[in-house]
Amino acid sequence: MAAFSDLFIFIILLGLGYGFGQWAERRHYRSIHTREKELAGILVFAERLPPPDPKFKHSSLVGGSVVISIDYFKRFVSLLRSFIGGRVSSYESLLDRARREALLRMKADAQAKGFQNIFNVKFETASISKGKGKQIGSIEVYVYGTALGPGN
Amino acid sequence: MPQYSNAKLPEHINVSKVSPLKDFISLTGGLLAIAFVLAFTLAIVGNWLAPKIPYEWEQRLGDVVESTLLDDFNLNSEHPQRAYLQALVDQLWKLQLTHESSVNTGPNTITVHYVESDIANAFATLGGQIIVTSALLDKITHETGLYFILAHEVAHIKYRHPIQAIGRGVLFSLVLSAFTGSQGDDLLDHLTWNTGSLTLLRFNRHQEQQSDIEALRTLYQHYGHTEGAFEFFEYLVAEEQKADQNENQVPVFLSTHPDTQARIVKLKEIAQEQRWQPMPGKSITLQPLPKFE
């Protein structure tokens, strides 16, 4: 009977993970889409050396970071996936959301400082909580770059 | 800087379109199917290998089991009940060895342990050992009933069911740890172990039936009839019905023994087919169990 109650708890956790995880993800994507439109005017570039432009008088380091946790359901799915391989789709959306969110925060930072262009943009990714069995619990994405422009 | 712009990436470039629920269902279904096939194969391999294990090896495990039993149950060999049970088992063992058997090695003698307990039970374990609880002797009133239970347990040992059960279990956990060991995730270990123990009962139904039939045959050989053999089963049925009323029923799938009522019916049929019945006109008197101090 103990096995039954364990299974029951496990299924409840899976259900909660699925419910809240999907809800949070949908909400987050909605917010990402609107903010991406709002901040579309701030341009980001991977180039280390910007083209010479008389507008670029001031520079500043801008950055944005985010920490997102995976839900119980997706973690379990990724665990199952690790047996047979293939695209870990449950982690894909996690990382996609984190990258886009971090980029948006960096853009917001640049906007607040009065810049329109960010060069030399780089991404750093770290897994934070390594739970039991080294399962990745949550990830941090940090995006930074050099904002150039007339400045405030 | 008019020559520069940031293109908007289409959605689903970095994220696959698969719904997580669909992913989950296909993965769980597939992996469960593989697990069941694996469990099935292992069970067959285990059954095939186990009787080939020399009895001396089993004896070593049996010694370990015995010392654990001694610690756990505070066994006392001084009980008069133990001597009585031992005498019955010795007699049974001699009888059963005269039957044809596919088993080539086995213990020379079977040891009975008598345990004070509120739960009526008897079970066979490694190293030719049988454990009988005091409650079992309380519930059974006639010798034939007890004889059948003991014959059933002796038959388990004769067919080497304990080593088969252990063999399968060991094989199974070995393969499981090979799979999950590197992963080391407690949750998965736990889950796979549960599925594993569901498919691998202590003794499976086939083994139980094999022992039942052997016990019936021994009973007929000894008494010339099989009346009163199912005394303990009938007690179990009554208990199950009581439990039903309390809504504490254990599903058949989860219990180590087949549904008791079905088991009695099946065995009565077999007894009829094999004509393990008394001579017509011969009256049967069941001998009551001796009274112990």
Side-chain angles (χ1 to χ4, degrees), chain B residues 51 99-105 158-159 210:
Chain B
H99 301 169
E100 95 296 341
S101 162
S102 57
V103 182
N104 42 13
T105 53
K158 176 184 162 182
Y159 292 121
Q210 197 181 17

Side-chain angles (χ1 to χ4, degrees), chain B residues 274-292:
Chain B
Q274 300 283 342
R275 299 181 189 286
W276 288 334
Q277 280 153 336
M279 292 289 189
K282 194 183 167 196
S283 70
I284 297 165
T285 45
L286 296 180
Q287 197 185 346
L289 281 190
K291 291 271 173 271
F292 298 103

Side-chain angles (χ1 to χ4, degrees), chain B residues 112-284:
Chain B
V112 181
H113 300 291
Y114 179 75
V115 176
E116 299 274 2
S117 166
D118 296 335
I119 300 156
N121 201 4
F123 53 96
T125 184
L126 292 170
Q129 301 179 83
I130 293 175
I131 291 93
V132 179
T133 65
S134 55
L136 183 86
L137 285 189
D138 295 340
K139 300 299 174 208
I140 291 179
T141 50
H142 292 99
E143 196 191 78
T144 352
L146 180 63
Y147 209 81
F148 178 78
I149 297 297
L150 291 178
H152 174 93
E153 301 307 334
V154 168
H156 274 317
I157 289 171
K158 176 184 162 182
Y159 292 121
R160 304 201 61 192
H161 290 162
I163 193 75
Q164 283 176 28
I166 297 281
R168 262 181 307 158
V170 168
L171 252 185
F172 207 68
S173 50
L174 254 179
V175 172
L176 272 187
S177 62
F179 267 103
T180 58
S182 53
Q183 206 71 33
D185 190 272
D186 281 351
L187 170 83
L188 199 70
D189 271 351
H190 189 71
L191 208 77
T192 37
W193 170 245
N194 279 342
T195 4
S197 48
L198 267 182
T199 39
L200 298 174
L201 305 173
R202 228 178 85 79
F203 294 136
N204 62 34
R205 280 134 200 254
H206 169 72
Q207 290 171 330
E208 291 295 346
Q209 201 179 36
Q210 197 181 17
S211 300
D212 277 346
I213 294 171
E214 177 71 6
L216 267 186
R217 179 183 295 147
T218 320
L219 212 67
Y220 178 68
Q221 220 177 353
H222 184 65
Y223 290 104
H225 66 80
T226 55
E227 289 299 309
F230 310 120
E231 197 185 341
F232 184 58
F233 287 174
E234 275 150 11
Y235 158 76
L236 284 182
V237 171
E239 286 293 295
E240 276 165 20
Q241 276 164 359
K242 252 190 253 171
D244 268 0
Q245 281 157 9
N246 298 334
E247 290 174 11
N248 260 333
Q249 193 186 8
V250 181
V252 183
F253 181 56
L254 288 175
S255 64
T256 45
H257 287 69
D259 176 40
T260 318
Q261 187 63 53
R263 195 174 173 188
I264 296 175
V265 172
K266 178 85 191 153
L267 288 175
K268 283 188 173 162
E269 274 172 25
I270 289 170
Q272 208 150 28
E273 271 169 35
Q274 300 283 342
R275 299 181 189 286
W276 288 334
Q277 280 153 336
M279 292 289 189
K282 194 183 167 196
S283 70
I284 297 165

Side-chain angles (χ1 to χ4, degrees), chain A residues 7-133:
Chain A
L7 194 67
F8 188 64
I9 290 169
F10 171 70
I11 287 170
I12 286 185
L13 284 176
L14 268 190
L16 280 178
Y18 181 72
F20 280 104
Q22 290 298 101
W23 176 71
E25 185 170 302
R26 238 174 268 140
R27 212 174 59 136
H28 191 199
Y29 266 124
R30 266 203 301 276
S31 140
I32 285 175
H33 290 147
T34 42
R35 282 183 297 147
E36 272 179 353
K37 270 185 207 131
E38 283 166 19
L39 292 168
I42 313 274
L43 300 180
V44 289
F45 305 99
E47 279 95 343
R48 199 162 66 87
L49 295 168
D53 193 311
K55 274 196 301 185
F56 298 157
K57 286 185 188 133
H58 295 277
S59 72
S60 170
L61 174 73
V62 288
S65 85
V66 66
V67 178
I68 302 187
S69 172
I70 195 166
D71 61 69
Y72 195 86
F73 177 81
K74 286 193 163 187
R75 189 195 311 220
F76 183 72
V77 171
S78 77
L79 191 68
L80 293 177
R81 176 57 76 186
S82 68
F83 274 103
I84 48 175
R87 283 182 82 160
V88 190
S89 55
S90 55
Y91 275 136
E92 280 177 346
S93 66
L94 176 82
L95 280 153
D96 184 55
R97 278 162 61 197
R99 276 192 304 263
R100 289 165 81 168
E101 177 67 35
L103 200 65
L104 283 170
R105 289 182 185 181
M106 179 184 73
K107 283 182 170 187
D109 184 22
Q111 195 180 42
K113 288 173 178 162
F115 292 101
Q116 295 286 317
N117 301 288
I118 309 166
F119 290 89
N120 204 10
V121 170
K122 286 178 175 154
F123 285 77
E124 297 284 346
T125 311
S127 62
I128 292 184
S129 72
K130 287 197 169 116
K132 266 193 214 164

